[in-house]
Amino acid sequence: MTAPEWLIVGRVGKPHGVHGDVLVDIITDFPERLQDGVEFGLGEEDGPSETHRVFRIRYHKRRWLLSVAGVRDRSVVESWSGRY
């Protein structure tokens, strides 16, 4: 069985607020690929090292403002900065 193929759609920026939301730079021509409820991989360019699920996504100053299911701590998303 082969591993699933992943598309890079964004790059994690800085945390937003104190409840685990994070800003993500959009680097896809199809931003609708990332929606509420979608599972996404978090990793480097060579593939994801962990997966999460989008709880809520909205636009904020030409970026995504992402709430991740089960993540409500700013310190968790701080370590994601720069990852795809």
Side-chain angles (χ1 to χ4, degrees):
M1 182 176 202
T2 61
E5 290 189 29
W6 294 86
L7 297 172
I8 295 176
V9 297
R11 186 168 185 224
V12 179
K14 62 182 184 174
H16 183 83
V18 296
H19 297 291
D21 294 344
V22 65
L23 291 167
V24 178
D25 296 320
I26 302 169
I27 58 174
T28 180
D29 291 334
F30 302 98
E32 64 276 2
R33 288 180 170 152
L34 199 60
Q35 304 175 17
D36 294 355
V38 168
E39 184 176 318
F40 67 94
L42 182 65
E44 304 301 326
E45 287 187 31
D46 59 348
S49 58
E50 56 188 275
T51 59
H52 297 278
R53 188 166 302 279
V54 175
F55 176 72
R56 182 176 59 195
I57 190 166
R58 51 206 184 279
Y59 290 95
H60 179 72
K61 298 181 180 179
R62 298 172 150 184
R63 293 187 271 182
W64 286 312
L65 181 54
L66 190 67
S67 297
V68 180
V71 176
R72 301 304 302 157
D73 185 359
R74 179 186 176 103
S75 64
V76 172
V77 297
E78 282 177 339
S79 67
W80 296 354
S81 183
R83 295 172 72 185
Y84 294 94

